[in-house]
Amino acid sequence: MSGHVAAIIAAAGSGVRFGADIPKALIQIQGITLLERAFTSLSKVVDEIIITAPAGYEEQFKALVGQSAEVITGGV
């Protein structure tokens, strides 16, 4: 019997502690954002992905992952 497996990518951090002026999830390593790396890895093994985005960045996050994940506002 197989069940539905979901994952949450907690990506609503501001990036300040990382020394960035953009959310850490949008920082690129070798041309790929940290968000895209996490999404690509998880999408291979789960049925559903929910991503928390900082307020004001929801559409930018959606543009990176398309319709394959639900993007919600997270953080404080």
Side-chain angles (χ1 to χ4, degrees), residues 4-8 39 41-50:
H4 182 86
V5 179
I8 297 172
F39 175 78
S41 295
L42 285 170
S43 65
K44 297 174 186 174
V45 295
V46 301
D47 303 306
E48 176 184 14
I49 298 176
I50 300 167

Side-chain angles (χ1 to χ4, degrees), residues 2 5 18-19 21 25 29 34 36 38 40 42 45 58 64-65 74:
S2 66
V5 179
F18 199 68
D21 58 351
I29 297 175
L34 295 175
E36 290 170 295
T40 300
L42 285 170
V45 295
E58 298 90 349
L64 290 172
V65 300

